[in-house]
């Protein structure tokens, strides 16, 4: 029962708004020490249990250190945004007169599906691609068509559609790559049911689905372009511009 004190430490730490990393570390140490408590156990043994818990944390971090490299990109993106990345992206797309929010997102959908089909799923994503680049560029393209600032509801719709486009491109593109987790999961599930299927077969049959997803969402984006123009026109009419 004493090992459950770690949960109490977590609850108390979150209620007190203490740094979550420190709370989790303290809870782990408390749990490790309490697990070593037994009749006849000395204080030095409990200290060693706490040290052993910290050692386990260190070993786990060291063994999986390559998986943590990806998180280094987040502060880099933050610095780029602070330096004006979104503004530069918006200004760059504003120079392309033929661009529109829908056409830009169609191009990104092609790129996202193609790279996901090759297993490069980390090249896109909401924090590293949509928020700093895709959404600002789509907004910039819409501003060029509007000839001025976008109403907030229109701006939020563009951001939402940008995120949705990334999701659709990833979801229907990654299944073409035979080494993706979803393919392995389906192969294992079908094998348990007595159906033997090669991963390549599932990947090949994912191609028509990906093409259909592109055509359907591409059509949605073209309709989205027209709805954006109408929303901008209606907003101008309401404000008397």
């Amino acid at each position: 029962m004493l090992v459950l004190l770690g949960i109490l430490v977590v609850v108390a730490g979150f209620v007190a708004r203490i740094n979550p990393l420190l709370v989790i570390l303290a809870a782990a140490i408390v749990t490790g020490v309490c697990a070593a408590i037994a009749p006849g156990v000395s204080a030095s043994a409990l200290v060693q249990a706490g040290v052993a818990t910290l050692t386990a944390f260190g070993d786990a971090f060291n063994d999986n250190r390559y998986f943590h490299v990806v998180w280094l990109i987040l502060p880099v993106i933050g610095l780029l945004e602070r330096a004006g990345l979104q503004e530069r992206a918006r200004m760059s797309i504003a120079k392309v007169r033929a661009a529109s929010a829908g056409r830009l997102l169609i191009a990104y959908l092609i790129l996202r599906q193609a790279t996901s089909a090759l297993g490069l799923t980390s090249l896109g994503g909401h924090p590293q691609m949509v928020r700093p680049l895709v959404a600002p560029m789509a907004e910039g393209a819409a501003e060029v068509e509007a000839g001025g600032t976008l109403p907030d509801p229109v701006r939020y719709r563009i951001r939402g559609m940008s995120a949705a486009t990334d999701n659709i491109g990833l979801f229907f593109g990654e299944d073409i790559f035979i080494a993706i987790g979803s393919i392995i999961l389906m192969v294992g599930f079908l094998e348990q049911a007595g159906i033997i299927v090669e991963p390549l077969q599932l990947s090949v049959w994912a191609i028509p689905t990906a093409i259909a997803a592109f055509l359907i969402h591409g059509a949605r984006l073209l309709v989205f372009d027209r709805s954006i123009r109408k929303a901008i026109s209606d907003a101008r009419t309401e404000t008397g511009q």
Side-chain angles (χ1 to χ4, degrees), residues 215-235:
L215 294 176
I216 293 171
H217 191 61
R220 289 183 64 208
L221 290 172
L222 295 177
V223 173
F224 177 71
D225 252 349
R226 289 188 293 182
S227 69
I228 288 297
R229 296 188 192 103
K230 184 177 184 303
I232 293 172
S233 177
D234 293 343

Side-chain angles (χ1 to χ4, degrees), residues 90 139-155 158-159 228-229 231-233 235-236 239 241:
R90 188 178 288 107
E139 292 175 27
E143 286 174 351
V144 171
E145 284 196 309
T149 305
L150 298 176
D152 285 342
V154 173
R155 192 178 300 278
I158 292 174
R159 293 175 183 176
I228 288 297
R229 296 188 192 103
I232 293 172
S233 177
R236 286 182 174 177
T239 56
Q241 294 181 357

Side-chain angles (χ1 to χ4, degrees), residues 19 26 36 57 74 92 110 150 154 162 168 172 190-191 207 237:
N19 188 307
F57 264 92
L74 296 180
S92 298
I110 296 174
L150 298 176
V154 173
S162 300
I168 292 170
F172 291 99
L190 291 174
E191 186 176 352
I207 295 176
T237 301

Side-chain angles (χ1 to χ4, degrees), residues 115-133:
T115 53
S116 298
L118 296 174
L120 304 176
T121 57
S122 298
L123 288 184
H126 294 186
Q128 63 266 39
M129 186 65 74
V130 174
R131 185 180 185 276
L133 286 176

Side-chain angles (χ1 to χ4, degrees), residues 1-10 12 22-37 46-47 49-54 57:
M1 292 296 293
L2 289 177
V3 295
L4 297 179
L5 289 177
I7 299 176
L8 181 61
V9 172
V10 172
L22 296 178
V23 172
I24 297 301
L25 180 61
I29 294 175
V30 169
T31 302
V33 172
C34 290
I37 294 178
L46 296 180
V47 172
V51 173
T53 303
L54 286 175
F57 264 92

